[in-house]
Amino acid sequence: MVSGLFTRAYRSFLKHPLPLLLFLLGAMVRILYITSIPPGLNQDEASIGYDAYAILHYGIDRNGVHLPIHLIAWGSGQNALYAYLSMPFILLFGLTPLSVRALSLVMGLLGMIVFYLIVRRLSASPGAGAIAMFFIAINPWHIMMSRWALESNLFPTMILIAVYCLLRSFTNPGWIYAFTGMLALSLYAYGTAYFFVPLFALGTAILLLYSKVLRLRTLVWNLAGFAVIALPILLFVIINRYAMQEIATPLFTVPKLTMPRVEEISSVFGGRLWQAAADNFSAFGKLMLSGSDGLPWNSISPYGYAYPVALPFALIGFIVLVHAWWTRRRESAGAGVLLLWFLIAVLMALITSVNINRINIIFYPFIILVCAGFGWIAGKVKGVAILAVAVFGIMFVLFSNAYFREFPERIGPAFYDSFGEAVQYASEHSTGEIYVTNNVNMPYIYVLFYEQMNPHDFLKSVVYANPGEAFQRVSSFGRYKFDDMRTVPAGAAYIFANNATPPAASTEYTVKRFANYSVLLTNEGTGGLPAPQGTAIAEFMNGGFEEGAAGWSFTAGTGVADNKPFAGSKLAYLDPGADTLVSQVFTAPAGDYRLSVMVSTGGSGGKIGIRTAGKVLAETELPVTEEYQQVTLPAVTLEQGMQAEVYITGGNGWINIDEVRVER
């Protein structure tokens, strides 16, 4: 079937080269830098990628379930179809961000072709194919969806392919079985399919019987085929709705979750059905009007899911398709199918807590409505259509610029950019225990993913902090411990965020810094940096300069920058000159205090010290080193209520300072 789609598209492209050029443009923006934009991996990408790897090589997922028809994942579940379809890519390329995202990319490219063929089949206009390829190639939702491995992204393209098969069946009845098979298979793609697919199948059957396109005998055979394919997922829903035991067979397992995800995202099972439906639909209306759900990985403002100028064209297209179906119902059954798809997607907003991922089934028919509206306008007022193409083209260029230049830095923290590098570095350079910050959503899955752990070994040692809950957090497995550390023991490693205060260490240590995360390695011998000891005092603030100039005084030639911090995203700098000064005055309780700083310099002469009432208590000259080095002063004694000043003065070269610490 897929080869037939490509053959049909290829022949059409030869006759009409403009759609081919637009397809190549769309392919380029979907393929370019796919391994690094979005940077890092979302936890759901790592989850489905590792489970696919585990099932492929060991026959079980990370929860020990043999060939599950639905993944348990965190506890509340993750749809399994994406994992199974990703296995060929993982087998070819290994477990990498590329192999996990490859399926989304392939489905995105395939979706562009199928979308083009559907619009060509629905419209007799010679320019319909070019219009279709233009709007799908530049669509922001489709571009972003094609570039990362969220399992829900599979669902709308499967329905798109199913609808194409249905339209083909109008002239070749055998295609109706492909439609039924694809529709039933989509139930394994995402939880919202449990609502959409039965209603769409029922509505399509009624529509086709009414239009006399479908015979009753054919309908019965398709119902039987649909029931066979859908039976395992139906059992899954029943088992998890009524807290029954899992079903294990040699071919597959129907697992029991800690909490079904369908209940998490749907208000059907809630006690406030009507109020929830009203709230959901209100949120849906706001999303469709604004173009955004507020989640940075789903849309980029102000471009939204389809650019702000698309909505009027969609409204016109809706009227055009309704008129076409109403006036020529038997001949326009295809338009009726598209309207049915759109309207059921709208109804789904009543039972779903709305965001772009959960309502993504609406966007393909929405873009088809945009194409229909644009085609109608182009036939009436050609000048308006040319102007519209120019506006959409400009917005596409602006969106692409924002996506490839601004989006990576903004989305990097949400996708835990460089966390995988830190995990690999810590695992390779430490033979002892590895402590991992909890300032990451489900950090254990990244260890499983990047270290490609044997799931049997994981199951033998895993300890959950909250077993049985919807999102089970792992506290430890093997030599990996997941907790935020204040002091790292000897012979261990600790992975922490660059914007967090580095922990103390019980012995000498080294720090390896990556884009957003660092690895602190402690050892038993010499050669590391001296370990900071004690407890930081609250009166001394903003030692990492993450809050800019807060708490500090700066003379001319000094300031806060972000060019090369030791940790976090900011540092303080001093230009060459003995008159440059960065300082902070604080009041401390009585006690002994030690001052330390991470410093890199371009020349000699700089100094750091601590003084009170003009009297220097401790001072040292900064070393000449372009790589950060820790400088620690001898302990000083401060009396109760005494005001002390930490100061850094300039020298013969530039000075960068970071992580200034005053510890008791």
Side-chain angles (χ1 to χ4, degrees):
M1 184 181 70
V2 173
S3 61
L5 293 177
F6 279 102
T7 301
R8 189 172 180 82
Y10 175 72
R11 291 173 180 171
S12 180
F13 286 152
L14 289 180
K15 296 179 182 178
H16 308 283
L18 180 57
L20 176 59
L21 295 176
L22 290 168
F23 172 78
L24 293 176
L25 173 66
M28 182 180 70
V29 296
R30 286 159 177 79
I31 296 172
L32 196 64
Y33 303 121
I34 191 170
T35 58
S36 58
I37 304 177
L41 274 180
N42 176 272
Q43 68 275 1
D44 285 338
E45 291 183 292
S47 173
I48 207 159
Y50 177 76
D51 275 339
Y53 167 85
I55 296 169
L56 175 64
H57 291 288
Y58 301 96
I60 61 171
D61 67 4
R62 69 179 184 268
N63 287 280
V65 181
H66 172 69
L67 298 178
I69 62 133
H70 195 289
L71 303 173
I72 294 178
W74 319 114
S76 59
Q78 194 172 20
N79 300 90
L81 185 59
Y82 193 103
Y84 285 103
L85 294 181
S86 293
M87 289 179 185
F89 302 106
I90 294 173
L91 188 63
L92 286 172
F93 307 121
L95 183 57
T96 67
L98 174 61
S99 66
V100 175
R101 291 177 178 174
L103 178 62
S104 279
L105 173 61
V106 169
M107 292 300 287
L109 298 177
L110 181 60
M112 292 171 64
I113 294 172
V114 177
F115 185 89
Y116 163 81
L117 294 174
I118 285 177
V119 175
R120 282 289 307 271
R121 187 164 286 273
L122 287 174
S123 175
S125 170
I131 292 171
M133 191 56 76
F134 173 74
F135 281 106
I136 193 64
I138 69 168
N139 180 260
W141 161 75
H142 197 267
I143 292 170
M144 297 182 74
M145 177 191 73
S146 302
R147 294 181 61 92
W148 70 298
L150 190 67
E151 80 271 19
S152 63
N153 293 343
L154 193 60
F155 179 45
T157 301
M158 293 190 70
I159 297 300
L160 185 77
I161 296 171
V163 168
Y164 172 75
C165 296
L166 180 62
L167 298 183
R168 289 294 304 271
S169 73
F170 295 170
T171 54
N172 185 347
W175 280 82
I176 193 68
Y177 296 99
F179 162 74
T180 299
M182 187 62 68
L183 201 63
L185 193 61
S186 72
L187 290 167
Y188 298 84
Y190 193 48
T192 56
Y194 307 157
F195 174 88
F196 177 86
V197 168
L199 285 184
F200 185 60
L202 177 62
T204 301
I206 294 171
L207 180 66
L208 297 186
L209 288 171
Y210 174 75
S211 302
K212 298 183 179 179
V213 176
L214 181 67
R215 293 187 302 174
L216 185 60
R217 180 181 176 183
T218 303
L219 174 62
V220 172
W221 279 110
N222 276 270
L223 283 173
F226 183 92
V228 170
I229 298 172
L231 179 60
I233 202 68
L234 175 61
L235 292 174
F236 168 79
V237 173
I238 293 172
I239 284 172
N240 284 280
R241 177 60 185 146
Y242 296 103
M244 300 167 66
Q245 294 299 310
E246 72 172 32
I247 298 174
T249 74
L251 296 178
F252 60 83
T253 300
V254 183
K256 182 179 183 296
L257 309 178
T258 58
M259 180 183 293
R261 177 166 291 199
V262 66
E263 297 196 14
E264 173 198 346
I265 65 174
S266 174
S267 58
V268 169
F269 300 103
R272 298 170 55 252
L273 176 60
W274 297 112
Q275 183 59 49
D279 293 342
N280 290 341
F281 201 77
S282 174
F284 167 74
K286 292 176 182 177
L287 187 156
M288 296 301 291
L289 289 173
S290 68
S292 172
D293 59 4
L295 300 175
W297 47 83
N298 282 341
S299 64
I300 298 175
S301 182
Y303 311 104
Y305 58 83
Y307 306 115
V309 291
L311 195 57
F313 290 92
L315 293 173
I316 294 171
F318 182 79
I319 296 171
V320 168
L321 285 187
V322 168
H323 181 265
W325 180 75
W326 188 259
T327 54
R328 295 180 289 112
R329 299 178 198 180
R330 184 173 299 179
E331 297 83 1
S332 299
V337 169
L338 263 297
L339 290 169
L340 180 67
W341 180 357
F342 181 78
L343 292 174
I344 293 176
V346 171
L347 284 177
M348 198 171 68
L350 293 170
I351 60 96
T352 302
S353 179
V354 174
N355 63 33
I356 284 176
N357 298 325
R358 292 171 181 168
I359 203 68
N360 60 8
I361 194 63
I362 201 171
F363 295 123
Y364 273 127
F366 179 88
I367 302 168
I368 291 176
L369 294 181
V370 173
C371 294
F374 178 86
W376 184 84
I377 290 175
K380 301 294 182 181
V381 189
K382 191 173 183 179
V384 173
I386 294 173
L387 177 62
V389 168
V391 171
F392 275 104
I394 291 170
M395 297 201 78
F396 167 66
V397 171
L398 294 174
F399 164 78
S400 300
N401 179 70
Y403 184 84
F404 287 102
R405 298 190 64 180
E406 301 167 10
F407 179 72
E409 183 176 354
R410 181 160 55 89
I411 202 64
F415 278 65
Y416 307 110
D417 183 23
S418 80
F419 186 68
E421 295 175 80
V423 167
Q424 290 175 312
Y425 182 87
S427 298
E428 291 171 5
H429 290 79
S430 175
T431 58
E433 292 186 329
I434 297 175
Y435 298 88
V436 185
T437 177
N438 265 327
N439 190 27
V440 169
N441 195 351
M442 300 296 182
Y444 81 94
I445 195 62
Y446 294 93
V447 177
L448 293 175
F449 183 97
Y450 285 101
E451 292 304 299
Q452 299 182 19
M453 309 289 291
N454 185 321
H456 294 285
D457 294 338
F458 171 71
L459 289 167
K460 288 176 184 176
S461 59
V462 63
V463 176
Y464 290 101
N466 57 338
E469 293 191 11
F471 292 91
Q472 299 179 116
R473 292 180 289 104
V474 171
S475 59
S476 67
F477 75 88
R479 64 180 181 136
Y480 298 91
K481 317 292 181 185
F482 302 92
D483 198 5
D484 292 314
M485 302 291 290
R486 290 189 174 184
T487 302
V488 182
Y494 178 51
I495 303 171
F496 60 98
N498 288 349
N499 59 5
T501 301
S506 60
T507 183
E508 296 177 343
Y509 69 90
T510 59
V511 175
K512 176 66 175 179
R513 186 174 179 276
F514 298 93
N516 290 300
Y517 294 90
S518 293
V519 179
L520 186 149
L521 295 171
T522 60
N523 55 64
E524 300 291 348
T526 60
L529 297 174
Q533 300 292 329
T535 304
I537 59 171
E539 290 80 2
F540 185 80
M541 62 182 294
N542 192 25
F545 302 98
E546 296 304 306
E547 300 174 32
W552 293 90
S553 298
F554 296 86
T555 64
T558 66
V560 176
D562 57 6
N563 56 316
K564 191 183 175 184
F566 170 76
S569 59
K570 292 184 176 65
L571 76 156
Y573 68 89
L574 295 86
D575 290 337
D579 56 343
T580 57
L581 173 69
V582 175
S583 62
Q584 180 176 160
V585 176
F586 65 96
T587 303
D592 294 333
Y593 294 87
R594 181 178 284 107
L595 169 65
S596 66
V597 63
M598 299 303 299
V599 60
S600 66
T601 64
S604 62
K607 294 181 180 180
I608 181 172
I610 183 169
R611 59 195 174 197
T612 180
K615 179 183 177 181
V616 175
L617 303 179
E619 183 183 80
T620 189
E621 188 166 325
L622 300 176
V624 180
T625 171
E626 293 192 6
E627 295 297 324
Y628 274 102
Q629 181 173 323
Q630 186 175 33
V631 175
T632 303
L633 275 64
V636 299
T637 301
L638 299 179
E639 297 178 4
Q640 182 68 31
M642 179 181 289
Q643 283 196 329
E645 180 186 26
V646 170
Y647 62 91
I648 302 97
T649 59
N652 301 319
W654 54 265
I655 298 173
N656 288 342
I657 58 173
D658 202 355
E659 297 305 318
V660 184
R661 302 177 68 165
V662 177
E663 295 177 326
R664 190 173 182 180

